[in-house]
Amino acid sequence: MADVKFSARAYCKMMLHAAKYPHCAINGILLAEEQKSKDDKKGRGLFICDAIPLFHLCLHVTPMAEVALTQIDHMATTSGLVVAGYYLANENIKDLSYEKCGQRIADKIAENFSSACLVVIDNRRLTLNMENVALCVSQFVDGKWKSKEKSSVSLENDARVAAASLLQRRVYEELVDFDNHLDDLTLDWTNQTVNKEVEEEMGADG
């Protein structure tokens, strides 16, 4: 299995989504840079560059999920990206499982992207200091989801520092998921404001 690296944008948005709804299970979609060839994929590994928050209320209401996935797929295609994974955080702080419905969405993604990732956020590591990487990552290999060694999962430099700063500043209050967007269509599910906040944090850290 190739190494998987998460951009600061992807990591921070996952953490902010979980922090905004600590009393709920949440889920979302992961986007990766499009890989031009099989050789390139093997050499470079998988780079998850963005996360799109989906739901925090009814995680698997099919019509809503289909609408969201259609819009995300269109946005990804026009940006030279691919839908490359699925993330979730469970309601129970100690629960690191991925329920059948969540795995079903991840399996569907894997049908179209053979190196897809399934990420469970470890709520116990979601703290204001973000000292530890709060991700449990599995990757689709030979038709099955297999857990990845921690040594093969990494973050963009200073991503944890940026996430800690954003959490301390309560930037999660600005995050929009598809539940929010469906309640008010003027709300931006691509989260350009939050993306800018992440970029500014990374610039400050650099």
Side-chain angles (χ1 to χ4, degrees):
M1 291 189 287
D3 289 354
V4 178
K5 185 173 184 178
F6 293 84
S7 72
R9 175 186 291 187
Y11 187 67
C12 289
K13 287 165 75 175
M14 284 189 282
M15 298 303 105
L16 292 172
H17 195 198
K20 185 174 184 179
Y21 300 105
H23 55 294
C24 299
I26 56 102
N27 66 355
I29 297 298
L30 299 171
L31 303 180
E33 293 179 343
E34 191 168 17
Q35 293 157 336
K36 303 301 182 185
S37 70
K38 291 183 179 179
D39 291 338
D40 184 40
K41 178 173 71 175
K42 289 179 181 177
R44 233 168 34 119
L46 181 62
F47 182 62
I48 302 294
C49 59
D50 204 354
I52 308 296
L54 283 180
F55 305 116
H56 64 272
L57 293 174
C58 300
L59 267 59
H60 308 298
V61 177
T62 302
M64 293 166 64
E66 288 180 354
V67 169
L69 288 168
T70 298
Q71 292 192 45
I72 293 168
D73 187 59
H74 176 73
M75 185 271 281
T77 301
T78 57
S79 303
L81 304 175
V82 292
V83 175
Y86 174 84
Y87 75 85
L88 65 100
N90 291 303
E91 187 175 0
N92 186 321
I93 194 169
K94 296 181 180 179
D95 187 359
L96 295 176
S97 66
Y98 40 87
E99 77 289 39
K100 290 182 180 179
C101 291
Q103 186 174 340
R104 200 173 302 139
I105 295 177
D107 286 346
K108 192 70 177 176
I109 293 170
E111 287 179 12
N112 298 307
F113 187 78
S114 60
S115 299
C117 285
L118 196 166
V119 175
V120 180
I121 296 172
D122 187 343
N123 294 310
R124 296 167 298 181
R125 295 186 171 189
L126 185 59
T127 66
L128 287 178
N129 294 326
M130 293 304 299
E131 293 176 357
N132 299 297
V133 177
L135 303 178
C136 297
V137 182
S138 298
Q139 194 166 24
F140 201 70
V141 179
D142 299 328
K144 296 179 181 179
W145 293 102
K146 296 184 179 179
S147 297
K148 294 189 69 64
E149 296 290 337
K150 290 183 179 180
S151 60
S152 65
V153 176
S154 63
L155 305 180
E156 187 177 2
N157 288 343
D158 296 324
R160 285 192 297 109
V161 177
S165 178
L166 293 169
L167 287 170
Q168 291 164 19
R169 291 170 44 216
R170 301 172 68 93
V171 174
Y172 51 80
E173 294 175 353
E174 302 173 23
L175 189 85
V176 176
D177 67 11
F178 258 90
D179 272 328
N180 303 139
H181 174 69
L182 293 171
D183 285 340
D184 181 354
L185 295 179
T186 66
L187 296 177
D188 175 23
W189 60 266
T190 67
N191 285 288
Q192 295 303 312
T193 299
V194 173
N195 290 346
K196 186 176 179 181
E197 294 265 16
V198 176
E199 289 171 11
E200 289 175 353
E201 280 294 336
M202 292 298 288
D205 293 337

